[in-house]
Each structure stands twice: as structure tokens, then as C-alpha cells.
Amino acid sequence: MSKSVIVSDLHIGDMSDADDFYTSGNFEKFIAFLEYIEKDEEMEKIIIAGDLFELWQCKVEKILQMYVDLWKVLLKLKETGKKIIYIPGNHDSLPFAKLVYKAAPFPFGPIQLTDKYDIDEKRKLIFPYYCEGNLWVEHGHRFDIYNRDVSTLAGGSKGVH
């Protein structure tokens, strides 16, 4: 029997003081968790259900530089045949989701971006999800009150959470 694991809301930053993923010690715990998954022969895939990155406060280039060890572990997982599916959330999709889904989902190193999404034309929002059999996974920010009216995003006081 194959197994999958779903994680979300890691909010990986740039290892600065504002990066809770690093300062809380969650980085080491997550690496240990991924190494456990690597050894589990029944584990087939990891589904990242949004907010892998903290792109509201950090630049992706800096994140990629600072977390080299994490990317090495993810590459090792892929080499052992594990699939890593990524569903962008609101903290990590805003800068590139519209561009990506207008063209085609692409692999991000060892991570495969989901190719499934809904588009809300009226609000100009994209809601990626992953679906396989009776499993449906999404970040869920489409249900957040702050995503109900994009007129507040252009210059208003509300933002997307």
C-alpha cells in the first residue's frame, strides 16, 4: 500500500530573524522528517499544500541560497522515486502563479507544480489544487474572507492571508 503525506504553511524564509521556520528550530525537524520519509519504502509522495515560501517578507533568490541543505534532501527524495507535488498558496503564489498557469506548470528542481487550478475571472485569482482519485488537496485561501474582494488588494487596507 502506497502512502502520501501532506504538509502546508511552512513559510520558509531567508534565515533572518523574521524567518520563523528557521528561528523556531523547525528547519532541523523538517529535515529529519524528510529523511524519515526517504527511508520509508511505502511512502510514494509528498504534497505541499501551499505557503512553502514566505514571499511576502523574503525574496525567493535568498531563500534558495540559504536553504541549500533542504534542496539537497528534496533532490535525494526525488532520486529515490518519491514524488513531490507543490500547490502554491497565497504567500508563495502571488508573484508567479498567474504567469505559470497562463503558460504551463513547470518542475521547480525536484518539485512538480500541480497542473490543476480554478480561475476566478471576476476576481482575477487563481486557486491551484491537487486531485487524484478521491483525494482533493488545496491550500484553502479561496475560502478566506480576504480573498473574497480583490478591489481591496489594489490599494486598500486589506490583504490576502
Side-chain angles (χ1 to χ4, degrees):
M1 180 173 151
S2 66
K3 298 188 286 187
S4 299
V5 66
I6 303 168
V7 299
S8 72
D9 292 285
L10 295 173
H11 292 273
I12 298 172
D14 59 8
M15 289 192 179
S16 67
D17 290 342
D19 182 359
D20 292 339
F21 182 72
Y22 182 72
T23 59
S24 66
N26 286 332
F27 170 63
E28 290 85 8
K29 292 174 189 170
F30 190 58
I31 292 291
F33 176 67
L34 292 176
E35 289 170 343
Y36 169 80
I37 289 172
E38 178 190 346
K39 293 174 184 143
D40 186 337
E41 293 179 11
E42 292 181 2
M43 189 63 64
E44 180 182 294
K45 70 180 68 130
I46 300 169
I47 302 167
I48 303 169
D51 292 357
L52 172 63
F53 301 116
E54 180 48 64
L55 295 182
W56 284 12
Q57 298 176 30
C58 307
K59 295 186 184 297
V60 72
E61 299 86 9
K62 179 86 178 209
I63 295 169
L64 296 175
Q65 286 177 341
M66 300 308 290
Y67 283 99
V68 172
D69 291 340
L70 174 60
W71 310 124
K72 285 180 182 178
V73 172
L74 291 173
L75 282 167
K76 214 169 168 187
L77 281 168
K78 184 172 181 171
E79 289 169 2
T80 63
K82 316 266 190 235
K83 293 180 184 172
I84 306 169
I85 309 293
Y86 177 37
I87 306 159
N90 54 319
H91 279 245
D92 51 11
S93 69
L94 294 176
F96 60 86
K98 287 184 183 179
L99 173 67
V100 168
Y101 288 110
K102 282 185 180 178
F106 59 90
F108 187 68
I111 301 170
Q112 179 62 50
L113 200 62
T114 184
D115 62 353
K116 298 171 178 64
Y117 57 91
D118 290 334
I119 297 178
D120 184 326
E121 292 292 341
K122 180 180 174 192
R123 298 182 296 161
K124 305 293 186 219
L125 294 174
I126 295 174
F127 300 106
Y129 63 90
Y130 177 77
C131 183
E132 180 180 349
N134 62 355
L135 176 68
W136 177 286
V137 183
E138 68 177 277
H139 182 60
H141 59 283
R142 80 164 83 206
F143 306 108
D144 189 309
I145 190 169
Y146 295 105
N147 290 315
R148 293 187 189 148
D149 182 8
V150 294
S151 65
T152 60
L153 299 178
S157 60
K158 292 183 181 178
V160 184
H161 291 275

